[in-house]
């Protein structure tokens, strides 16, 4: 009997061509499942996992008209990540090299949220539903 595949969301975070170091994500606590590099050693694509959440870090592909935040000169998406301890995850990200955008706080709509920007310009909203 075949196991039913669970639908999961796996964002692809674009990085500039020629990027050699994605250590921020490892320092933040992600596990690298694989990393394919170009002939010059720069990263083509890496599959990462953060507490069961899979994401890919991929160099931009000009033929698909894709941009990363630095060349787009702005936010291209916000990655929402639900966690058990918003404050601990925010602190770990900042220690790994992220820049805090909004400190963690409780909102009237029932969420505790904080936001940071990673070294490639991607915004991450760290959140938890609070009772």
């Amino acid at each position: 009997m075949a196991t039913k595949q669970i639908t999961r969301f796996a964002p692809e975070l674009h990085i500039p061509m020629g990027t050699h170091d994605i250590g921020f994500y490892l320092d933040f606590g992600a596990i690298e499942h694989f990393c394919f590099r170009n002939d010059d050693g720069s990263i083509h694509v890496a599959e990462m996992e953060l507490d069961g959440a899979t994401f890919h870090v991929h160099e931009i592909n000009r033929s698909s008209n894709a941009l990363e935040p630095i060349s787009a000169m702005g936010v291209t998406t916000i990655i929402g990540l639900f966690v058990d301890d918003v404050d601990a995850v925010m602190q770990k990200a900042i220690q790994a090299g992220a820049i805090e955008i909004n400190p963690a706080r409780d909102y009237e709509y029932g969420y505790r949220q904080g936001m940071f920007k990673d070294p490639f310009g991607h915004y991450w909203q760290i959140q938890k539903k609070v009772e």
Side-chain angles (χ1 to χ4, degrees), residues 82-87 105-113 126-131:
F82 283 88
V83 300
D84 285 332
D85 187 339
V86 172
D87 298 278
R105 72 179 186 91
D106 293 340
Y107 288 87
E108 65 279 356
Y109 46 82
Y111 281 72
R112 180 163 187 77
Q113 295 173 314
I126 308 305
Q127 53 200 336
K128 177 181 182 171
K129 190 166 187 152
V130 292
E131 304 302 320

Side-chain angles (χ1 to χ4, degrees), residues 60-78:
I60 58 172
N61 180 348
R62 298 258 186 242
S63 66
S64 68
N65 206 23
L67 295 174
E68 40 74 36
I70 295 168
S71 63
M73 295 187 288
V75 177
T76 55
T77 192
I78 296 175

Side-chain angles (χ1 to χ4, degrees), residues 8-122:
R8 297 180 297 145
F9 184 71
E12 182 175 287
L13 308 181
H14 292 148
I15 56 175
M17 291 180 78
T19 298
H20 286 81
D21 182 13
I22 56 171
F24 164 79
Y25 299 112
L26 300 172
D27 293 343
F28 181 41
I31 298 167
E32 181 181 283
H33 288 287
F34 64 77
C35 183
F36 294 113
R37 294 185 176 267
N38 299 310
D39 291 340
D40 68 354
S42 64
I43 295 171
H44 174 68
V45 62
E47 182 176 274
M48 314 290 281
E49 180 183 325
L50 189 59
D51 292 333
T54 300
F55 65 99
H56 296 92
V57 178
H58 201 297
E59 70 180 342
I60 58 172
N61 180 348
R62 298 258 186 242
S63 66
S64 68
N65 206 23
L67 295 174
E68 40 74 36
I70 295 168
S71 63
M73 295 187 288
V75 177
T76 55
T77 192
I78 296 175
I79 299 98
L81 191 64
F82 283 88
V83 300
D84 285 332
D85 187 339
V86 172
D87 298 278
V89 173
M90 287 289 294
Q91 186 61 34
K92 188 168 188 172
I94 292 164
Q95 289 173 344
I99 297 170
E100 184 178 73
I101 301 298
N102 296 320
R105 72 179 186 91
D106 293 340
Y107 288 87
E108 65 279 356
Y109 46 82
Y111 281 72
R112 180 163 187 77
Q113 295 173 314
M115 186 178 291
F116 67 82
K117 179 172 71 170
D118 75 22
F120 298 101
H122 301 288

